[in-house]
Amino acid sequence: MSGFAIGILGIVFLFVSILLGVNVMVALGAVGILGLTAVVGLNAATAMLSTVFFETVHGFHFSVIPLFLLMGLFAMRAGLGEDLFEASIKWLGRLRGGLAISTTMGAAAFGAASGSSVGTATVFTKLALPQMLDRGYDKRLASASIAIAGTLAVMIPPSAVMVIYGILTDSSIGALLIAGVIPGLVFAVVLCAATYIWVWRRPELAPRFDESYSLKEKFYSLRLAGPLIIVIICIIAGLYLGVFTPTEAGAAGAAVTLILAIIRQRGIKGVRLLETLLETIKTTAMIFGIIICALIFSRFLALSGTAIALGDFMTSLHVNKWVVVGIVALIYLVFGMMMDAPALLAITLPITHPVMIQLGFDPIWFGVFVVLLVELSAITPPVGINCFVVQAASNGRIELEDVFMGLIPYVLAGLFMLVLLCLLPQMALFLPSTMR
Amino acid sequence: MPPFVSHPSRDVKVSGFHRLCRAYGRLLHACGLIAAISTFAMLVLVVANVIGRYLFNAPITGAFEITESLLVVVIMLGLALTQYHDGHIRVTILTRRMPLSWARLAKIWALILGAAFFAWCAYASWKFAYESYSFNEQEWGTITFPLYPFKFVVFLGVVLLAIQFVLDAINAISKPPSADQPAAVENI
C-alpha cells in the first residue's frame, strides 16, 4: 500500500473513531502512531512517541496557554463582566439599538481578556439578557447579540485559540496574536453596524434607551473596566514593540487581573485561588493532550507524503485557489457543529494547513481566517455551542429558535467579514509585517 | 478537603473496586495540587523576571529554563486528573443516539484504545527518561540542573493516564448500559 493510501485510510479512521465517541486526543494519537508504524516501522514510531511529549511540554513559549487561561478566570472572579457592561451602557447605550451594541462591545472586551467564548456567553446572558428583555428588546436581537460576541473574543489578543494555531502549525505566536488586532476591531465595527442597520429598519425591536449620564458618571464607570482595557492595550503594544514575549504578556495580564480580583473580593479568600488553579490545569491538560496527539498525527500525514499529495492534487485541479478556500470554509463550518475550537483545529490543521501553504497563502493570514471561521461555526445553526449556552443560561426566558433566528444577520455579517479578510489580506498581515 | 467529585456514583453499593477508584482519584488530586502550585509558581516567576529586568535591570537567573521545566509538571500531572473528571473532549453526537448496548460497546472500545495508546506512550517515555538518567543529562542554560527528573514526570503523567483509562474501562464493562453523558465542553 502506498504512503498516500495509508494516509487517506488514516484520515478516514480518525473521523470514524471521533464520531464513535473516542476522545479526540486518543483518536489523533492512536491513529497517528499506528499510521507511523505502517509507514516507518515500529521502532521509528516508538522513538517518535518517546520524544514528542517532552519536546512539546518543555517549552517556554507554550507556557502562554495556562497563563492566558488564568488571566481569563481571574477576570471572571474580578467581576469584570459587570463593570464592562455597565461602562459600555453608559458610553454607548443611547445609540440606536444601544443596549445590544453595548452588550456586543462589553462582551468582546471581556472575552478578549478571558479568551473564552463560552464563558463570555454565559456571563453576559446572566448580565445583559434580563436588562434587554425588561426594557422591551426583541428576544432574537437580545440573545443573538450575546451569542455573537464570542467570535470577537478570540480575535482580539490575548487569545488562547490563536496560540493553539501557532503551536500546531509552528508559526510565530507573537505575530499571530498581533495579526488578530485589526481584523478584530474591524469585525467589532461590522457587528455594531449590523445591529444598527437591523434596528434602523425595524425600530420596534429595540425601544430607545433614554437615561443619560453625565461625563463624570461615564468616567466613574471606568474605574475597574478601565484597568482591564489598559492591560489589554499594554499587552498588545508590548507584543508589537517586542518589549515582552507572549508568555510574559500572559503572566503580566494574569497578575493584574488577580490584583483586580483581590480588590473586588476584598481579599484573597473570595478569589478561590486553588479552585481557579485546578480549573486552569485541567483545561491546560485538555488542550495539550490534543495538541501533542495532533502533532503525532500531523507527523504521520507528513511522513506518509499525504499532506503534500493532497496539496499537489488540489493544485493539479487547476481550480481557482479561492474555490479551495470556499471548500475549506465549508469543512470548518460543518465540523465546527460537533466540537469546539482546540479539537477542531487539531484534527483539521494537519490536513488543511500544508495544502493552503502550498497554494501560496500566508500562514499568519490563514491563522486569522481559520480562527474566525472556527468561531463562526460555534454559532451557526443547526448546532452551535454558544447558542445552547445562551439558551441554557437564560432561565427559560428564550427559546433556542430565538437565538438561531436572531443570529442570521450576524452570521451574514461574519461571512461578510470572511470575504473582507480574503479581499484585504493586509488587514491581518500589516501589523505583523511591521513588528519589531 | 477540597471539592471532590467522586467518579463512580455514590449510591451503588461501594465495592472494593470503587474504593480503589476513589483512592486513585485522591492520588490524582494530589498530583493536581502539585501542578496547580507549579502554575502559580510559574506566574510569579515570569512576572518577577519582567519586573526585575525592566525596573531593576536585574533579570532572574534561569527564569527561562525553570519556566520551561515547570510547564512539564503543569501539563503532565494534570492529564490523568482531567480524564478522571471526563474533561478530555469527545464527540457524543452519534453515541447519544445509538441503542444503549451499542453505545456501551463503543465506549468500552474507546477506553481500551485510550489505555493501550497511553501504555505505548508510557513504554516509550520510560526508555527516553531512563536514557537521559543513565548519562545524567543536564539543562545547559544560564543555570545548570539535571533534566532527567522532568522526563520522568512525563513518564509518570502518561502512566497515571493509562491507569485511569484502564479503571474507566473496567468500570464501563462492569456497569449495565446507561445513557452517555455529553463530554464536558471546555471551550476557549
Side-chain angles (χ1 to χ4, degrees):
Chain A
M1 202 158 39
S2 73
F4 181 68
I6 298 175
I8 296 297
L9 206 61
I11 295 175
V12 173
F13 273 137
L14 175 72
F15 283 94
V16 170
S17 334
I18 287 176
L19 285 175
L20 283 177
V22 177
N23 278 344
V24 173
M25 164 181 83
V26 173
L28 281 163
V31 174
I33 202 63
L34 289 174
L36 272 173
T37 306
V39 176
V40 296
L42 185 63
N43 286 337
T46 307
M48 193 260 153
L49 203 55
S50 69
T51 56
V52 68
F53 278 84
F54 187 74
E55 278 169 7
T56 314
V57 301
H58 187 255
F60 179 78
H61 298 297
F62 299 169
S63 24
V64 65
I65 292 210
L67 293 171
F68 276 0
L69 294 172
L70 212 48
M71 175 177 176
L73 289 171
F74 287 146
M76 242 174 252
R77 297 279 191 263
L80 288 170
E82 284 136 64
D83 294 308
L84 286 165
F85 185 53
E86 185 198 327
S88 49
I89 285 186
K90 290 197 170 148
W91 288 84
L92 302 166
R94 282 175 62 84
L95 289 171
R96 207 187 278 277
L99 278 183
I101 291 178
S102 307
T103 303
T104 307
M105 295 306 278
F110 180 71
S114 81
S116 157
S117 62
V118 164
T120 309
T122 316
V123 170
F124 272 77
T125 307
K126 301 229 187 284
L127 277 175
L129 193 72
Q131 294 243 26
M132 284 195 269
L133 295 183
D134 292 347
R135 289 201 169 83
Y137 266 58
D138 179 70
K139 284 179 182 175
R140 295 175 182 178
L141 172 63
S143 52
S145 66
I146 298 169
I148 189 70
T151 46
L152 279 175
V154 293
M155 305 280 289
I156 303 169
S159 160
V161 180
M162 284 284 189
V163 178
I164 294 173
Y165 175 90
I167 300 177
L168 286 170
T169 62
D170 205 9
S171 322
S172 158
I173 292 169
L176 275 167
L177 290 171
I178 288 300
V181 175
I182 297 181
L185 294 178
V186 171
F187 192 37
V189 174
V190 168
L191 288 179
C192 291
T195 310
Y196 193 84
I197 295 170
W198 192 10
V199 176
W200 173 59
R201 288 189 52 202
R202 298 187 54 196
E204 74 277 10
L205 294 181
R208 263 227 136 82
F209 182 72
D210 285 326
E211 283 160 59
S212 66
Y213 299 96
S214 68
L215 208 58
K216 204 178 149 198
E217 281 176 300
K218 283 186 182 174
F219 276 101
Y220 183 68
S221 71
L222 291 178
R223 71 198 178 280
L224 275 173
L228 181 68
I229 294 170
I230 293 171
V231 169
I232 294 174
I233 292 174
C234 285
I235 287 179
I236 294 172
L239 284 175
Y240 181 72
L241 297 172
V243 179
F244 39 62
T245 61
T247 301
E248 292 168 342
V256 174
T257 45
L258 172 60
I259 293 169
L260 291 177
I262 293 173
I263 294 173
R264 166 60 67 100
Q265 304 285 351
R266 296 175 199 287
I268 188 90
K269 220 176 160 185
V271 183
R272 287 173 287 162
L273 190 59
L274 186 61
E275 198 184 313
T276 312
L277 289 169
L278 281 173
E279 213 169 307
T280 305
I281 60 148
K282 276 192 264 173
T283 311
T284 307
M286 181 272 283
I287 291 174
F288 273 94
I290 287 178
I291 288 179
I292 294 166
C293 293
L295 291 174
I296 299 172
F297 186 75
S298 121
R299 203 136 342 154
F300 155 56
L301 285 192
L303 284 178
S304 64
T306 315
I308 292 175
L310 273 178
D312 285 344
F313 173 71
M314 285 293 187
T315 30
S316 73
L317 286 179
H318 294 296
V319 290
N320 191 309
K321 66 178 183 177
W322 297 108
V323 176
V324 182
V325 173
I327 297 171
V328 167
L330 206 63
I331 293 173
Y332 277 91
L333 290 178
V334 170
F335 282 98
M337 295 170 185
M338 285 180 266
M339 61 198 94
D340 60 352
L344 180 57
L345 289 179
I347 65 166
T348 53
L349 283 178
I351 307 164
T352 56
H353 181 258
V355 171
M356 296 302 277
I357 300 310
Q358 221 171 325
L359 287 173
F361 289 96
D362 188 285
I364 300 290
W365 175 85
F366 186 57
V368 176
F369 183 80
V370 151
V371 166
L372 176 62
L373 204 52
V374 164
E375 280 306 311
L376 275 182
S377 71
I379 55 157
T380 310
V383 198
I385 289 178
N386 281 10
C387 307
F388 293 117
V389 172
V390 171
Q391 200 271 333
S394 75
N395 283 331
R397 289 187 73 172
I398 50 167
E399 302 291 325
L400 206 49
E401 289 134 53
D402 294 327
V403 197
F404 283 139
M405 293 302 287
L407 274 169
I408 293 172
Y410 292 120
V411 171
L412 291 178
L415 295 178
F416 172 72
M417 185 64 206
L418 282 175
V419 173
L420 215 56
L421 208 51
C422 292
L423 293 175
L424 299 167
Q426 280 305 315
M427 203 159 43
L429 296 176
F430 172 69
L431 281 184
S433 71
T434 58
M435 254 170 100
R436 287 215 277 152
Chain B
M1 187 80 191
F4 196 76
V5 186
S6 91
H7 201 43
S9 73
R10 278 170 194 278
D11 34 271
V12 251
K13 203 167 139 271
V14 180
S15 65
F17 176 67
H18 285 154
R19 269 208 298 277
L20 175 71
C21 285
R22 251 191 263 167
Y24 191 68
R26 253 172 256 138
L27 172 69
L28 296 184
H29 214 268
C31 290
L33 271 179
I34 298 174
I37 293 166
S38 305
T39 311
F40 197 71
M42 193 158 88
L43 168 63
V44 173
L45 182 65
V46 176
V47 172
N49 186 39
V50 173
I51 294 175
R53 195 173 64 207
Y54 285 106
L55 260 51
F56 307 109
N57 205 16
I60 295 170
T61 314
F64 184 90
E65 291 81 1
I66 300 172
T67 309
E68 276 190 336
S69 297
L70 279 176
L71 186 66
V72 178
V73 179
V74 169
I75 296 170
M76 296 315 295
L77 291 189
L79 271 178
L81 182 66
T82 308
Q83 174 62 22
Y84 181 78
H85 290 296
D86 197 11
H88 287 292
I89 297 177
R90 58 198 166 85
V91 173
T92 52
I93 196 165
L94 259 175
T95 46
R96 258 183 297 154
R97 288 166 178 75
M98 278 179 186
L100 285 182
S101 53
W102 289 27
R104 178 167 173 266
L105 281 181
K107 188 174 181 182
I108 291 171
W109 158 243
L111 292 169
I112 290 175
L113 189 65
F117 172 65
F118 283 105
W120 191 348
C121 294
Y123 166 73
S125 34
W126 170 262
K127 282 204 338 193
F128 190 55
Y130 188 76
E131 211 173 286
S132 168
Y133 169 73
S134 57
F135 65 87
N136 192 17
E137 190 184 3
Q138 304 282 316
E139 169 82 270
W140 291 105
T142 47
I143 54 167
T144 307
F145 57 90
L147 208 51
Y148 64 83
F150 298 97
K151 296 193 171 175
F152 278 109
V153 169
V154 171
F155 165 72
L156 180 66
V158 286
V159 164
L160 289 173
L161 182 56
I163 295 174
Q164 183 58 44
F165 268 110
V166 171
L167 293 178
D168 281 345
I170 296 173
N171 194 34
I173 292 168
S174 63
K175 264 201 319 203
S178 64
D180 194 10
Q181 296 298 315
V185 177
E186 304 225 25
N187 215 19
I188 20 168

